[in-house]
Amino acid sequence: MRWERFDDFDALSERAARLLLEHLATKPDSVLALPTGRTPIGLYARVVSACNRETHCFAEATTFNLDEYVGIDSSHPGSYCTYMKRHLLDFVDLKPGNAHIPNGSINDAEPLLEECARYEQLIAASGGLDLAFLGLGRNGHIGFNEPGTPFDSRTRVVELAASTRQANAADFPDGSVPLHAITMGIGTILAARHIVLLASGASKTDAVARLRSGAVGEAFPASALWLHPDVRVLTDVPLEA
Ligand code: GLP
């Protein structure tokens, strides 16, 4: 695990954007896993300004979002589909058919299971994830893999922790934070060839310290990243010596 510490969010975002753009320059047909949340907003803003529709950065790329809420329409203002359009997809030359986000608008159990299997198969059929960008939940979640998630888990429906729903409540001003989500599993994420974890802000200090301790266990999902051979952690929280 390679640790890179930055003085602030802007510097972290700049580095993350450079890593993504360099990866695309080296392998234009990259298959990327992309996160949502507040942390990657600076990354996406820089990628959008560096890479408009004329520069063809994403023309051959494929993206898979890590997760999506269940039980809301993709057009809901709080959905990750809406988020991705607002921060990236409406501004770059990614082919619409190559930008994948789990379909969480399904309500019935059986079709939801099928959607998870379809998503997992689609990742495999695309050649597997080349580079996965991840955010870090305050409780150590990656994607929506909450504490207790088996490290070999694959794309599936999960129940969101109360603390996660609280952390994401601002996206649902009427208080209707979904109870469930579809998320890539930890096993799906660990199968990526390269991983970049972004952790920004004082609210992540404890989670970063816990990750940095090196203790690996299912009680802290991000600790699974210690089992992967190529992980960079980009953070702006103070690191102990
Ligand atoms: C959310 C998302 C994660 C994200 C994390 C951190 O719940 N499902 O993919 O990485 O929590 O979010 P933020 O960057 O807003 O702190």
Side-chain angles (χ1 to χ4, degrees), residues 35-40 66-67 69 80 134-138 141-144 164 167-168 198 200 203-204:
T36 47
R38 284 169 289 279
T39 312
L66 291 167
D67 45 22
Y69 294 105
Y80 286 159
L134 310 175
L136 178 66
R138 295 174 205 187
H141 72 235
I142 48 176
F144 266 136
T164 299
N168 294 358
L198 311 176
S200 173
S203 67
K204 303 297 169 67

